Amino acid sequence: MTQQPKVSIISACYNAEGTLQDTIDSIVAQDYPNIEYIVMDGVSKDGTLEILKANQDKIQVLVSEPDEGFYNAINKGISLATGEIIALLNSDDLYVSSQVVSKMVACLQEKAVDSVFADVVYVDQADTAKLLRYYSSKGNWNVNRFQWGLMPAHPTFFTYKKTYETFGLFREDLKIAADFDILLRFLGIHQISRAYLPEPIIKMRVGGLSSSGLSSKIQISQEIALVLKSHQISVSWAKLWGRYAFKILQFLPNLWSKSSLVENNPK
């Protein structure tokens, strides 16, 4: 029987003691047989390291060292990965079920594409069964959508390591929008082949780096404009701010019917 390709799942963390165990448990629960879990810790000051040490048998690569920010840590993790396929899972996120990795790899193989992405649900910080917002990646892959500052849900993005080797890693000079830049490069500029799985695969706790207040919205809009200019794509501030009108729709409960696919407890 042919062995399934190895999937390297990378988590970067810093002071994540309140959420990290959920992330680890959701990876351990996966029914996919060939996973390499890589954790890049930025020398946490809380109980994160104790959690990591208690779970060392579940983590194939564990690095705790100073880094130059989130994207620097992710880049180091990608460089260390030995899997053919790369996936990222933030240390405050979790997979919605035990079949997520199997579904994403199957989609990559059956569609014979370079990448696959899906949807996410935003959940309450304390109660991950409480759904707050539904983010659909449908259609958000072309240059026109990128001009609005829209993109597929980056945490759901699975691609081959050779994609990063060919087209580059995350820009470390960006604080928030490096995921926007890399998806624009991969999908919009270089047009790698892609498939869309129309269901949520990740629960994201609210309050992440790109969704915490007006100042972060201003910063991410400025960084998105910088990214677009760097790729010789015209910038429309009306479009960049207008994208928040699209995001309002994500809070409408009638869009959450797909969320019936989300298990309340994926562990």
Side-chain angles (χ1 to χ4, degrees):
M1 183 176 178
T2 304
Q3 186 180 39
Q4 291 279 66
K6 183 189 293 184
V7 178
S8 295
I9 302 175
I10 302 166
S11 295
C13 63
Y14 181 74
N15 292 347
E17 65 177 358
T19 59
L20 180 60
Q21 190 63 56
D22 284 347
T23 304
I24 295 171
D25 290 345
S26 78
I27 292 173
V28 173
Q30 294 302 300
D31 62 8
Y32 190 78
N34 196 7
I35 290 176
E36 172 186 60
Y37 187 33
I38 299 172
V39 179
M40 307 298 297
D41 173 66
V43 193
S44 294
K45 307 302 182 186
D46 62 356
T48 297
L49 282 175
E50 286 69 25
I51 293 171
L52 291 172
K53 289 175 182 177
N55 289 275
Q56 272 190 316
D57 60 325
K58 305 166 187 174
I59 301 169
Q60 283 66 53
V61 180
L62 172 57
V63 177
S64 182
E65 65 183 20
D67 56 52
E68 296 176 19
F70 175 78
Y71 295 116
N72 173 252
I74 291 296
N75 283 342
K76 290 194 291 186
I78 292 171
S79 299
L80 292 171
T82 62
E84 298 168 57
I85 299 168
I86 301 290
L88 308 178
L89 190 64
N90 295 334
S91 59
D92 53 357
D93 299 343
L94 59 156
Y95 289 131
V96 303
S97 77
S98 59
Q99 294 85 44
V100 165
V101 176
S102 292
K103 286 182 178 182
M104 297 297 275
V105 174
C107 194
L108 273 173
Q109 294 179 322
E110 291 168 9
K111 302 289 187 181
V113 291
D114 297 319
S115 64
V116 61
F117 47 82
D119 300 342
V120 301
V121 286
Y122 287 77
V123 297
D124 184 75
Q125 278 275 356
D127 181 6
T128 59
K130 183 177 181 181
L131 306 181
L132 303 176
R133 174 183 167 194
Y134 191 102
Y135 188 109
S136 173
S137 293
K138 184 178 181 180
N140 289 341
W141 59 268
N142 60 48
V143 172
N144 289 333
R145 291 295 184 98
F146 280 109
Q147 283 186 299
W148 285 81
L150 299 172
M151 62 178 177
H154 180 260
T156 70
F157 188 72
F158 280 56
T159 191
Y160 292 96
K161 185 175 181 180
K162 66 182 180 184
T163 304
Y164 292 96
E165 294 171 339
T166 303
F167 301 118
L169 299 174
F170 290 90
R171 282 181 57 174
E172 296 180 14
D173 61 311
L174 299 171
K175 301 300 182 184
I176 301 179
D179 50 355
F180 178 85
D181 170 76
I182 208 163
L183 290 185
L184 174 57
R185 272 190 283 133
F186 290 175
L187 300 172
I189 305 300
H190 299 293
Q191 297 186 357
I192 67 171
S193 56
R194 82 281 166 197
Y196 166 57
L197 185 68
E199 62 183 71
I201 68 164
I202 288 178
K203 290 183 176 184
M204 295 182 63
R205 287 181 168 89
V206 294
L209 187 62
S210 62
S211 60
S212 53
L214 179 60
S215 61
S216 70
K217 287 179 173 59
I218 293 172
Q219 183 177 4
I220 194 171
S221 295
Q222 291 173 335
E223 288 193 3
I224 287 173
L226 179 66
V227 168
L228 291 172
K229 289 177 182 177
S230 72
H231 294 293
Q232 289 77 53
I233 298 173
S234 62
V235 173
S236 166
W237 286 102
K239 288 182 178 180
L240 291 185
W241 285 107
R243 76 186 188 276
Y244 289 105
F246 290 101
K247 293 191 175 186
I248 290 173
L249 298 175
Q250 298 168 6
F251 293 88
L252 298 179
N254 66 309
L255 295 180
W256 298 351
S257 59
K258 294 179 184 178
S259 301
S260 62
L261 298 166
V262 177
E263 296 179 5
N264 286 335
N265 186 356
K267 301 175 188 177

